[in-house]
Amino acid sequence: MSRIVRVGNVLVGGGNPVSVQSMTNTKTIDIPATLEQIDRLTDAGCDLVRVSVPDFESAQAIKEICSSSKIPVIADIHFDYRLAVESVKNGAAKVRINPGNIGQEWKVRETVKVAKEFGVPIRVGANSGSLDRSFGLYDKPTALAESALAQVRILESAGFEDIVISLKSSSVSETVSANEYLFEKTDYPLHLGVTEAGFGLDSTVKSSIGIGTLLLKGIGDTIRVSMSGDPVQEIEVGLSILRSLGLRKGVDVISCPTCARAEIDVESLARKVKSWVGNIEDDISVAVMGCVVNGIGEGKDADIGIAGTASGGVIFLKGEIVEKVEKRNLESRFRHWFDELLSGGDR
Ligand code: SF4
């Protein structure tokens, strides 16, 4: 089991729930826009949020961002150790650095000194896009892992062990192999993700396979889905990965693919249900099925379900029909039973 690292009020590793992260894509110096995005990420279920700190003004902006954010804020630093030091002093709950590009050893030691003083962990890691050439003799996954381990050794030699490691490649198989290799070599918590995974469907598929494969093997303590666009999507996909693996509670919406027997618009009703669900943490399943021929049977394990009929639909709880509804009342009656279930009325 991995060791535990504390990031603000979130425990990472040691069998604690796998946390979901994202990263803002606003300018960090635009404090209102950054906080607005962090709020939306928090509402979507984000546990930890990372912000870029490319300059001193951003490191100063971190102060207000950290004090207003409801979730721990991680500072992403490259090259200049002073930005890491300033970010930690201004409230960052973790810093992500690359000791290799921070430069001389004393600069790393200065960063470590402040991180220790403030009880802030450091994430190090390797990305396929910025891999040090000195690891060129290894195959790519091993090179990624060894490059990260070299960074870990720099921190350890500075007396620091409050570390999280990430290995990311834009290749799913490289990400999986690299993390498997690292998992055998260290007990530091691992941050999983497939980097530059694209947008929409591509990112969802790559991230789900890469992160999911590792989590199924018991590897990984915190995850980030990388997706171009609104970062809230990263949280939605990340949480969906965790729910599908039984690693996170939440409402699971099941819907049939539909066929010629379908009597209702399954997709639009399933989307409606999804919008009711929001960030509810109740562990319940909701089935939306096109017809009663197979629908009730296939959805009988669901806590609540609806199946289409020629005149409307039937609502069922654990496979038992509780109401027959006309087409025009389909949504409102289903919502009624859904709310009843959430309030504990029929559980
Ligand atoms: S539940 Fe009915 S409509 Fe949906 S796929 Fe099965 S048979 Fe077709």
Side-chain angles (χ1 to χ4, degrees):
M1 181 157 321
S2 57
R3 55 176 98 179
I4 299 172
V5 164
R6 177 182 287 278
V7 184
N9 58 0
V10 176
L11 296 178
V12 175
N16 282 291
V18 176
S19 47
V20 181
Q21 308 195 17
S22 185
M23 187 166 181
T24 53
N25 57 14
T26 51
K27 295 284 180 204
T28 305
I29 48 170
D30 186 345
I31 298 172
T34 303
L35 280 172
E36 190 268 336
Q37 198 168 69
I38 291 176
D39 277 348
R40 288 197 304 112
L41 287 165
T42 307
D43 289 344
C46 183
D47 299 305
L48 299 165
V49 65
R50 187 156 47 112
V51 300
S52 296
V53 182
D55 47 38
F56 201 70
E57 290 71 29
S58 301
Q60 286 176 319
I62 283 263
K63 192 168 199 167
E64 193 176 332
I65 292 169
C66 289
S67 64
S68 299
S69 172
K70 295 190 199 82
I71 55 175
V73 176
I74 301 163
D76 191 271
I77 316 285
H78 281 282
F79 307 114
D80 191 341
Y81 83 99
R82 290 169 300 181
L83 299 178
V85 169
E86 189 69 12
S87 297
V88 171
K89 286 182 176 171
N90 283 339
K94 180 169 126 187
V95 284
R96 185 252 189 269
I97 61 165
N98 177 346
N101 71 28
I102 289 287
Q104 294 105 312
E105 204 184 308
W106 68 267
K107 293 179 179 172
V108 176
R109 285 188 184 276
E110 277 304 302
T111 311
V112 161
K113 197 169 95 191
V114 177
K116 260 187 175 171
E117 188 185 330
F118 285 79
V120 165
I122 295 177
R123 167 155 81 92
V124 296
N127 270 27
S128 55
S130 54
L131 193 54
D132 192 324
R133 282 203 195 130
S134 59
F135 295 94
L137 288 176
Y138 294 108
D139 62 72
K140 198 79 171 281
T142 311
L144 277 170
E146 287 295 340
S147 158
L149 286 169
Q151 294 177 30
V152 168
R153 284 193 284 274
I154 295 174
L155 293 185
E156 284 176 339
S157 67
F160 193 81
E161 295 191 346
D162 202 7
I163 300 168
V164 177
I165 311 176
S166 68
L167 294 181
K168 295 186 181 179
S169 166
S170 50
S171 150
V172 172
S173 55
E174 271 176 25
T175 302
V176 171
S177 303
N179 279 285
E180 284 174 332
Y181 179 93
L182 190 65
F183 182 69
E184 295 300 323
K185 300 260 177 188
T186 179
D187 65 351
Y188 288 117
L190 302 185
H191 166 121
L192 305 182
V194 177
T195 193
E196 289 122 28
F199 62 93
L201 185 64
D202 283 345
S203 165
T204 304
V205 170
K206 285 184 195 171
S207 302
S208 302
I209 297 173
I211 294 171
T213 302
L214 288 161
L215 288 176
L216 276 173
K217 294 175 183 226
I219 301 173
D221 305 283
T222 180
I223 66 170
R224 187 215 172 172
V225 169
S226 161
M227 189 180 281
S228 311
D230 186 344
V232 167
Q233 303 171 94
E234 299 186 345
I235 299 305
E236 289 167 351
V237 175
L239 287 172
S240 189
I241 292 171
L242 295 184
R243 281 185 194 126
S244 69
L245 297 174
L247 294 171
R248 186 67 77 106
K249 290 189 170 181
V251 180
D252 190 18
V253 181
I254 299 155
S255 59
C256 81
T258 76
C259 69
R261 293 195 186 91
E263 303 276 13
I264 56 173
D265 184 345
V266 170
E267 187 189 352
S268 74
L269 188 53
R271 282 184 188 277
K272 262 281 159 32
V273 173
K274 227 22 194 173
S275 73
W276 304 339
V277 165
N279 198 25
I280 296 168
E281 289 195 356
D282 291 48
D283 219 355
I284 62 171
S285 51
V286 186
V288 181
M289 313 301 273
C291 75
V292 284
V293 178
N294 286 328
I296 298 178
E298 287 174 10
K300 75 174 183 308
D301 290 332
D303 294 296
I304 181 171
I306 191 163
T309 62
S311 60
V314 291
I315 294 168
F316 51 93
L317 298 175
K318 287 276 181 205
E320 295 294 323
I321 294 175
V322 290
E323 187 175 341
K324 292 184 179 162
V325 280
E326 291 176 28
K327 213 151 233 159
R328 62 194 165 95
N329 296 330
L330 216 59
E331 194 186 310
S332 61
R333 293 306 297 161
F334 195 39
R335 178 73 200 249
H336 164 82
W337 283 100
F338 177 77
D339 289 343
E340 280 279 301
L341 187 70
L342 279 186
S343 65
D346 282 281
R347 274 189 289 171

